[in-house]
Amino acid sequence: MLDSVLLRKDIDFVVAQLARRGLSFDVDRFNQLEAARKAIQVETETLQASRNALAKEIGKLKSQGQDASAVMAQAAQVPEKLKQLEEKLASIKNELDAWLMTIPNLPHESVPLGKDSDDNVEQRRWFPEGGYQSDKEPDTFDFPVQDHVALGEKLGLEFDTAVKLSGSRFSFMRGGMARLHRALAQFMLDTHTAMHGYTECYTPYIVNSATLFGTGQLPKFKEDMFWVTKGGDDVDEYGQTIPKEEMYLISTAEITLTSTVRESVVPLSALPLRLTAHSPCFRSEAGSGGRDTRGMIRQHQFDKVEMVQIVQPDTSYEALEQMTAHAEKILQLLKLPYRVMLLCTGDMGFGASKTYDLEVWVPSQHTWREISSVSNCEAFQARRMGARFKNEQGKNEYVHTLNGSGLAVGRTLVAVIENYQQADGSIIIPEVLRPYMGGIDVLKP
């Protein structure tokens, strides 16, 4: 959520920054709500002063043995008036908060201006032979390239079975393919915990709405979520009906990992927090149209290893570069060609101030595809969650939150299948994955 203090002090700056994201901020509406809030606060303070003055007058009259009944009657009306003002103030605050919950984060000054992904700026690209080479193109194969669907069908990737069980945009894996998928997730977790200092976590896959409001998925992106309801018909041990509640399947473990600090004050000594988790992710893909209907690129259910850092504000951009390097390291160890893109203002996520995307090379499509997105949300999520830390002066201050894929397991599997394919349809297992595969070095049709 945007900083309300910044809105009051420098609304022109906020308007200009949101305009960079292509959003027009309703200044008149904000000013009207602010004026109403200030008027109620002034009236409240005046009434509170009057109450104090009446209390003193009552005490004085009583001490002098005089009749204080008229003044007492006047004072008796004050609490009800204060209650009415409190309710009005709460109503205005709720309207303002509900509105601000739908406004995206402000972009960092280093984020390039742009409308969509065409305006993103390449930072660097990396190749298994030669490392970082800005002008190099990925190597071509000396045989006809197959996509991961055609290759996978002979290796245990069964899309027809998934369609029978659940419908389109789901996957079913069997045998060596399922093991390779698991190996990727284990390798990612082991790398992030042993090499990068993250604490491995296991989190719920279903969360309440308050959790999603905190990290920014609600209210704006409800249609992107899958949800279930509980309660309504059940009764508790006292015979009371349990209220109906919507519960949501997580679209990323960012939601649960970041929310571990919700409504809490983190000790300064505990920062930075580095957390990682492997989880399924559930997305309705609302608005995706007919894009990527073939294969595993865009699924309703997929696995991801997520990285989250909770840090002091003055270190968050250093942490962003660090987390991007952590995601890069996975691709480097797997020896997969990739490039790093700095997203423009029009292509960033709702809660991000600055985002890097890692894009892996997909030979069958002869293009780069996103495999990781690493973002600094600054204090945007922390304000929504009420997540603070005690600074060196002993005052509570909002933490900064960062999240990144480290990596999307399904898309990494796609990249491994296609980049390691052989002319006979077999797949060479990347060297770093072989210990997780029981020493298997190739998957054969």
Side-chain angles (χ1 to χ4, degrees), residues 169-222:
R169 296 189 189 273
F170 288 92
S171 301
F172 186 96
M173 301 176 216
R174 196 189 300 266
M177 186 61 64
R179 186 170 187 175
L180 180 56
H181 185 266
R182 172 165 57 91
L184 281 165
Q186 289 182 265
F187 160 68
M188 292 173 191
L189 282 174
D190 286 350
T191 302
H192 291 317
T193 53
M195 187 179 294
H196 299 149
Y198 290 79
T199 298
E200 182 177 351
C201 302
Y202 172 82
T203 85
Y205 302 156
I206 301 177
V207 296
N208 55 36
S209 59
T211 300
L212 292 170
F213 272 97
T215 49
Q217 281 74 25
L218 291 181
K220 191 172 179 63
F221 301 105
K222 181 176 180 178

Side-chain angles (χ1 to χ4, degrees), residues 3 34 58 65 103 206 218 228 237 243 251 257 274 287 337 342 352 394 407 426 431 438:
D3 185 355
E34 265 298 283
I58 291 168
I103 306 296
I206 301 177
L218 291 181
V228 295
E237 57 185 309
S251 55
L257 294 176
R274 296 191 183 103
L342 174 59
L407 305 164
S426 63
E431 202 170 321

Side-chain angles (χ1 to χ4, degrees), residues 218-325:
L218 291 181
K220 191 172 179 63
F221 301 105
K222 181 176 180 178
E223 296 307 313
D224 292 330
M225 310 292 295
F226 285 107
W227 67 90
V228 295
T229 57
K230 72 171 187 177
D233 298 323
D234 300 327
V235 295
D236 61 20
E237 57 185 309
Y238 304 106
Q240 300 295 315
T241 300
I242 300 173
K244 181 178 284 189
E245 180 183 9
E246 287 183 347
M247 301 288 288
Y248 295 80
L249 281 69
I250 61 172
S251 55
T252 165
E254 168 208 337
I255 294 166
T256 44
L257 294 176
T258 305
S259 296
T260 58
V261 295
R262 193 179 98 205
E263 297 172 358
S264 62
V265 178
V266 182
L268 179 61
S269 59
L271 298 178
L273 290 173
R274 296 191 183 103
L275 308 174
T276 187
H278 167 222
S279 78
C281 305
F282 304 91
R283 299 185 184 180
S284 70
E285 293 297 338
S288 65
R291 289 184 295 163
D292 298 313
T293 55
R294 178 177 170 84
M296 295 184 67
I297 294 293
R298 196 178 298 275
Q299 300 265 282
H300 289 313
Q301 176 188 317
F302 60 95
D303 281 38
K304 183 153 65 79
V305 172
E306 185 72 6
M307 305 177 292
V308 160
Q309 289 202 29
I310 313 293
V311 304
Q312 299 179 57
D314 59 358
T315 65
S316 67
Y317 280 95
E318 178 184 342
L320 177 63
E321 301 298 329
Q322 179 189 74
M323 288 180 70
T324 304

